[in-house]
Amino acid sequence: MSISKRVSLVSSSPTLKISAKAKQMKQKGIDVVSFGAGEPDFDTPAHIKESAKKALDEGFTKYTPASGIKELKEAICKKFREDNNLIFSPEEILVSCGAKHSIFNAIFALCDEGDEVVLPSPYWVSFPEMIKVAGGKPVILKTTQEDSFRIKPEQLQKAITPRTKLFILNSPCNPTGMVYTKDELQLLSNVLIASNVYCISDEIYEKIIYDGEEHVSIASLGERIKELTVVVNGVSKSYSMTGWRIGYAGGPEEIISAMSNLQSHSTSNPVSFAQTAALEALSGPQDQVMEMVDEFRRRRDYIIDRLNETPGISCLKPKGAFYAFANVSEILKKGALKDSVSLAEKLLAEANVAVVPGSAFGDDRYIRLSYATSLENIKEGMERIKGFIEKVL
Ligand SMILES: *Cc1c(COP(=O)(O)O)cnc(C)c1O
């Protein structure tokens, strides 16, 4: 067998290995508590499902324009205007098969062989792999817990070389839950503008944000940064619609049209009636989003307290998204477990708790726990983790 060099570069993620194992155990009837989920545990709101059913019944089952239907693009423009203070025309919008697909298209539209892409770590698992498969070179900028996992403008400045094409920003961040303030974004944007570096701003967790924290889109900070930025968002996380596969991008027309062109030769349009559902999600009632965020907040408060009470673990309080990124370096230092993968494997095998090892996100001293699961599960899972840690410490 001879797999292309390009695709051979893509690593299969350790995330998948552990979640496959957890699934196997569940199938065997073992009661596993899973903190692995990368998606909300709520059902898609009924009015959204209804709109898709109606579209199906009305025969909206054929190809649509490859870059998405006009009505949805207009609703996205309205959303950008009202929520983010960003003015886009429909020609500056692309609807894709998930935000992931928009990001993939954007990286391919911008990266040439050997181009450097600056990526802060901890990062979302797919970023480095997408950069590599596009021929780019990920330049990882490590952030620390002391800096609340946020890069400083000087750090960004230092990482930029004549080969730097692109910077990837994800606020609120998966896995750390950290959120950049407007002032911080302004400083980062100054650095990008000065060196003419493009930016992909992944804002998928925009609405899952706590404690009065404000989400600001870097593209909204001025005309020049807007010309350099592709803003990516989608309905998966805010509306509990991960399976529907609708995401979107707003950006300069030239980049968006290159992305659309690429999309038109790969997937063509996102599913017709899922686009109708996304239109309803964006333009229908928003109260269920708030309810979901309230529930996530309750769970966050609980799990963060429990984690910080557990010997050997420390965890910052996330300001957005639905993950706790817990520092387990004290436990690893004891020597019985060599890294985050062995910790996660042992935790699964001995305590029946599934977590994602931090190495998947570029920092081996951590584990990620998703609190997109019931408070009851979180309580049970934390009891088990505590018992396990007491044994290994
Ligand atoms: C879930 C997620 C996405 C992808 O969302 P889809 O719209 O379902 O493709 C993108 N970025 C981050 C950081 C995510 O966690």
Side-chain angles (χ1 to χ4, degrees):
M1 197 70 74
S2 171
I3 302 299
S4 73
K5 274 208 196 80
R6 228 158 225 246
V7 171
S8 306
L9 284 174
V10 179
S11 12
S12 77
S13 93
T15 331
L16 291 180
K17 217 175 112 195
I18 291 196
S19 60
K21 185 79 203 292
K23 221 174 242 166
Q24 256 179 23
M25 289 169 68
K26 277 186 191 164
Q27 272 161 6
K28 280 196 213 144
I30 302 169
D31 153 45
V32 175
V33 175
S34 180
F35 290 114
E39 59 185 348
D41 52 318
F42 310 103
D43 196 4
T44 301
H47 67 100
I48 297 174
K49 292 204 277 190
E50 281 310 317
S51 72
K53 287 184 202 165
K54 186 160 168 275
L56 270 174
D57 287 342
E58 287 171 359
F60 191 53
T61 56
K62 299 292 182 353
Y63 288 136
T64 76
S67 63
I69 56 173
K70 188 164 150 280
E71 297 82 345
L72 178 55
K73 287 187 185 179
E74 281 166 355
I76 292 166
C77 289
K78 182 161 178 276
K79 181 255 170 255
F80 274 133
R81 193 168 63 239
E82 290 173 357
D83 292 355
N84 309 108
N85 201 19
L86 278 169
I87 309 296
F88 288 119
S89 66
E91 297 70 45
E92 295 169 308
I93 302 293
L94 169 68
V95 185
S96 303
C97 310
K100 185 183 260 181
H101 187 213
S102 278
I103 296 167
F104 191 90
N105 288 331
I107 291 176
F108 266 75
L110 288 167
C111 263
D112 270 316
E113 204 65 40
D115 281 349
E116 292 176 4
V117 181
V118 178
L119 174 66
S121 85
Y123 45 71
W124 180 49
V125 288
S126 293
F127 288 136
E129 307 312 316
M130 289 187 191
I131 295 164
K132 283 189 281 177
V133 80
K137 183 173 162 240
V139 175
I140 310 293
L141 280 191
K142 252 194 163 12
T143 67
T144 62
Q145 198 166 335
E146 292 68 43
D147 288 331
S148 296
F149 298 114
R150 286 173 292 189
I151 59 158
K152 298 216 165 72
E154 310 83 73
Q155 223 183 331
L156 176 59
Q157 182 65 65
K158 259 204 181 111
I160 291 175
T161 75
R163 297 269 9 212
T164 308
K165 183 72 186 275
L166 182 62
F167 169 63
I168 298 200
L169 179 68
N170 174 216
S171 175
C173 173
N174 172 8
T176 66
M178 292 305 135
V179 175
Y180 284 87
T181 66
K182 187 174 177 182
D183 291 346
E184 288 166 339
L185 291 174
Q186 189 71 65
L187 295 173
L188 294 178
S189 105
N190 294 346
V191 175
L192 297 174
I193 291 168
S195 304
N196 231 2
V197 172
Y198 289 91
C199 177
I200 293 176
S201 180
D202 177 351
E203 303 180 9
I204 191 88
Y205 292 101
E206 163 185 32
K207 297 206 186 280
I208 305 174
I209 196 162
Y210 314 107
D211 309 331
E213 201 73 30
E214 186 198 7
H215 168 81
V216 175
S217 175
I218 191 168
S220 70
L221 297 177
E223 263 318 297
R224 189 60 196 123
I225 190 65
K226 186 172 173 241
E227 285 164 13
L228 290 170
T229 304
V230 176
V231 182
V232 176
N233 210 322
V235 295
S236 284
K237 308 289 162 64
S238 308
Y239 301 97
S240 217
M241 290 177 71
T242 45
W244 298 76
R245 312 308 306 131
I246 300 288
Y248 53 86
E253 191 173 345
E254 206 179 335
I255 303 175
I256 293 294
S257 92
M259 289 164 64
S260 306
N261 195 8
L262 175 63
Q263 177 166 305
S264 76
H265 293 295
S266 50
T267 57
S268 293
N269 64 275
V271 170
S272 55
F273 50 91
Q275 292 187 66
T276 310
L279 174 60
E280 173 63 22
L282 293 180
S283 41
Q286 302 291 306
D287 38 314
Q288 292 180 62
V289 180
M290 314 302 161
E291 284 166 25
M292 195 167 78
V293 174
D294 279 343
E295 181 56 29
F296 281 142
R297 181 184 305 103
R298 268 191 289 279
R299 298 169 180 179
R300 176 198 65 158
D301 291 348
Y302 179 80
I303 196 171
I304 299 301
D305 284 349
R306 290 297 307 263
L307 282 166
N308 284 313
E309 276 165 33
T310 307
I313 296 185
S314 79
C315 189
L316 290 183
K317 197 168 202 173
K319 296 173 183 300
F322 41 70
Y323 309 100
F325 201 56
N327 188 324
V328 292
S329 51
E330 290 303 312
I331 298 165
L332 298 180
K333 269 188 210 140
K334 300 284 171 189
L337 298 158
K338 67 179 192 315
D339 52 26
S340 63
V341 174
S342 37
L343 173 60
E345 282 172 352
K346 263 253 161 62
L347 197 54
L348 182 59
E350 291 179 12
N352 297 344
V353 175
V355 300
V356 184
S359 57
F361 311 98
D363 201 325
D364 200 32
R365 298 165 303 170
Y366 291 81
I367 54 173
R368 191 193 75 176
L369 298 91
S370 159
Y371 47 90
T373 184
S374 70
L375 204 50
E376 199 187 351
N377 279 340
I378 296 173
K379 284 182 181 161
E380 174 60 27
M382 284 311 303
E383 279 306 310
R384 293 185 192 181
I385 289 176
K386 188 164 158 253
F388 173 81
I389 303 286
E390 279 165 358
K391 262 195 300 169
V392 299
L393 271 187

